[in-house]
């Protein structure tokens, strides 16, 4: 089941040799970043969701996809960027 799921996602090998997770207040620029990971409270999550719709109004602008923690945080962000936000 796992192999089928990964085949369906079409996850490619990472282009870089490591991942760098940093607090947002420690980052000088967003240039070259693949994603931003939030651990919000429910009211902050609601605000972030509303904010996302200002940029795109597609019905799937904000979604919660089935995946493991690392897939949700890393692989899904990489895949979405490769598909230009889709």
């Amino acid at each position: 089941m796992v192999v089928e799921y990964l085949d369906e996602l079409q996850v490619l090998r990472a282009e870089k040799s490591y991942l760098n997770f940093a607090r947002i207040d420690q980052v000088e620029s967003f240039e070259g970043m693949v994603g931003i990971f939030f651990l919000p409270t429910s009211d902050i999550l609601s605000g972030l969701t509303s904010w996302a719709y200002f940029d795109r109004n597609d019905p799937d602008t904000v979604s919660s996809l089935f995946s493991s923690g690392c897939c949700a945080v890393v692989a899904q962000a990489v895949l979405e960027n490769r598909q230009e936000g889709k």
Side-chain angles (χ1 to χ4, degrees), residues 26-81:
Q26 302 295 314
V27 175
E28 293 180 16
S29 168
F30 293 124
E31 195 66 36
M33 281 196 187
V34 174
I36 299 175
F37 174 56
F38 293 95
L39 292 172
T41 59
S42 57
D43 59 329
I44 301 246
L45 180 59
S46 175
L48 290 169
T49 300
S50 297
W51 188 23
Y53 284 107
F54 280 103
D55 189 43
R56 245 178 78 190
N57 62 355
D58 295 333
D60 64 345
T61 295
V62 177
S63 60
S64 177
L65 304 173
F66 170 79
S67 62
S68 64
C70 56
C71 182
V73 173
V74 178
Q76 294 290 357
V78 170
L79 291 170
E80 186 174 320
N81 283 330

Side-chain angles (χ1 to χ4, degrees), residues 19-23 37 73-74:
L19 296 173
N20 181 22
F21 289 88
R23 285 184 10 193
F37 174 56
V73 173
V74 178

Side-chain angles (χ1 to χ4, degrees), residues 3-30:
V3 172
E4 287 176 16
Y5 180 68
L6 291 175
D7 287 343
E8 183 180 318
L9 285 178
Q10 298 179 355
V11 176
L12 303 174
R13 287 202 170 272
E15 296 171 1
K16 306 206 178 190
S17 58
Y18 62 91
L19 296 173
N20 181 22
F21 289 88
R23 285 184 10 193
I24 202 160
D25 63 339
Q26 302 295 314
V27 175
E28 293 180 16
S29 168
F30 293 124

